[in-house]
Amino acid sequence: MWVQGAVLYESLKPLYLSNPLSSNGTSFFTNHYQKRRSSVVVMSMTTKSTAVPIMVNGCNGKMGSSVILAANSAGLQILPKSFGPEKEAGNTVEVFGNEIKIHGPSERESVLASLYDEYPSMIVVDYTVPDLVNDNADLYCRVGVPFVMGTTGGDRDILYKTVDASKVYAVISPQMGKQVVAFLAAMEIMAEQFPGAFSGYSLHVKESHQAGKLDTSGTAKAVISCFKKLGVSFDDQIEMIRDPKEQVELVGVPEEYLSGHAFHLYYLSSPDKTVSFEFQHNVCGRSIYAEGTVDAVLFLAKKIQSKADKRIYNMIDVLREGNMR
């Protein structure tokens, strides 16, 4: 897994270079990303205070299984039940040494209520599919179980209203990568302190994710919201790149990460095209999100234990707590 931080620079370019794609059809992504690597250090925390029981819904998906791997290393207790599609109901899967039984939609509420009775300190981690975000959150709120919603999509306004009305503790964030969230926080601060600083500038946005990601990047939407506060003109047309051939040739995604990556480009240009800014953050693999999810679980467990008045949190709240591993 490699994460490239946001790149911010100003350049004076000829008009023919004012487009994010150069004249030979290659993207600036490739210029900034040359298959660099960095090792991922997974810290093991097996003290009693971290033995929070978690139910990972979508456990045999790529994100769900990554969370289980990170949770194992952090000493969390993986509960032996998970929600999945009806076609998988009744199956038992092994995920990094944990045997987990899959339950279909028809038995979700009874299974969750029974599990919550048995493990009253449990927290649900949701990495299912966008279409289930609201239904799942409504279920968690009815039962009263705290949860971390890592799944993107759904109607976010309804999601927040549902959780707020239920008074259930939850961490909801479209982006679980801590370093990317720090970049988002910096963007929000800039938007608040310098509104209109980019008035008149135009914005072009590209995002590349694995072909199986159906929805538009929630991270991109959050960054665009900040740019709009800065006065940038944007037509809400995000270029979604899902074709593997384009991802390798134009975006510069290493082939081994085609099945799991998140590359983002935000390109701004002045009205006369003489000034441009480029913001970029690229992620290969899923470890950054899994580790952030575990931090969110530990954060939420602490808030529940302290009976905090605030009930709905995001990853910026987790960052501000300052107790990440």
Side-chain angles (χ1 to χ4, degrees):
M1 181 276 292
W2 175 79
V3 182
Q4 177 172 310
V7 176
L8 168 61
Y9 61 88
E10 178 177 1
S11 60
L12 296 177
K13 295 184 178 179
L15 292 179
Y16 71 90
L17 288 180
S18 63
N19 190 282
L21 290 179
S22 62
S23 57
N24 65 3
T26 61
S27 170
F28 82 91
F29 273 117
T30 308
N31 297 331
H32 289 291
Y33 186 80
Q34 298 296 334
K35 297 187 179 181
R36 286 178 283 178
R37 300 289 185 270
S38 66
S39 61
V40 178
V41 178
V42 178
M43 298 178 65
S44 178
M45 298 178 67
T46 56
T47 60
K48 186 175 181 180
S49 62
T50 63
V52 180
I54 63 170
M55 177 189 192
V56 181
N57 288 331
C59 70
N60 55 346
K62 292 176 179 177
M63 261 314 305
S65 60
S66 296
V67 168
I68 288 175
L69 178 61
N72 278 344
S73 298
L76 304 186
Q77 180 183 4
I78 311 300
L79 297 181
K81 297 180 186 296
S82 179
F83 295 158
E86 192 64 52
K87 64 181 180 180
E88 297 178 8
N91 293 343
T92 297
V93 297
E94 184 175 334
V95 184
F96 295 111
N98 300 275
E99 289 194 352
I100 303 173
K101 185 174 181 180
I102 307 299
H103 294 271
S106 62
E107 51 185 348
R108 293 185 315 155
E109 187 159 356
S110 60
V111 167
L112 183 61
S114 175
L115 201 61
Y116 192 34
D117 284 342
E118 186 175 356
Y119 300 94
S121 61
M122 70 174 280
I123 292 173
V124 172
V125 174
D126 191 297
Y127 276 106
T128 53
V129 295
D131 287 347
L132 293 179
V133 165
N134 294 108
D135 284 345
N136 285 351
D138 186 60
L139 171 61
Y140 306 149
C141 291
R142 285 202 311 273
V143 175
V145 61
F147 66 95
V148 173
M149 179 59 74
T151 311
T152 59
D155 189 315
R156 307 308 272 194
D157 289 336
I158 292 177
L159 172 61
Y160 281 100
K161 289 177 182 177
T162 300
V163 180
D164 184 56
S166 72
K167 306 302 180 186
V168 163
Y169 286 96
V171 174
I172 302 171
S173 178
Q175 171 59 255
M176 288 291 178
K178 295 173 286 188
Q179 293 77 15
V180 179
V181 170
F183 166 63
L184 285 172
M187 287 296 302
E188 290 186 1
I189 291 170
M190 183 165 66
E192 289 173 3
Q193 296 190 4
F194 308 109
F198 285 86
S199 293
Y201 276 67
S202 59
L203 174 64
H204 182 80
V205 179
K206 291 185 178 183
E207 58 97 337
S208 173
H209 288 76
Q210 58 278 2
K213 181 173 174 60
L214 304 178
D215 58 325
T216 306
S217 167
T219 303
K221 291 177 181 178
V223 174
I224 289 167
S225 175
C226 294
F227 279 127
K228 286 182 175 180
K229 293 176 184 176
L230 287 163
V232 172
S233 174
F234 186 63
D235 59 6
D236 291 329
Q237 295 299 311
I238 300 173
E239 184 177 350
M240 296 170 58
I241 302 173
R242 298 292 185 269
D243 179 74
K245 187 172 185 294
E246 291 184 9
Q247 290 173 338
V248 172
E249 296 179 357
L250 299 182
V251 180
V253 178
E255 290 188 15
E256 62 267 35
Y257 288 113
L258 286 173
S259 63
H261 69 277
F263 280 35
H264 296 76
L265 153 66
Y266 314 91
Y267 182 91
L268 298 98
S269 58
S270 62
D272 62 1
K273 308 299 182 185
T274 60
V275 181
S276 65
F277 290 82
E278 293 171 357
F279 295 74
Q280 180 184 0
H281 52 93
N282 298 339
V283 174
C284 286
R286 296 178 174 85
S287 295
I288 184 175
Y289 310 119
E291 291 295 318
T293 301
V294 169
D295 282 327
V297 167
L298 296 175
F299 166 89
L300 196 60
K302 181 179 177 181
K303 294 302 178 185
I304 295 167
Q305 187 176 24
S306 67
K307 299 181 179 179
D309 291 333
K310 184 175 178 178
R311 299 301 176 99
I312 305 176
Y313 300 91
N314 56 34
M315 282 302 288
I316 292 178
D317 295 313
V318 177
L319 281 171
R320 284 175 176 154
E321 192 79 1
N323 294 326
M324 294 176 295
R325 299 161 302 119

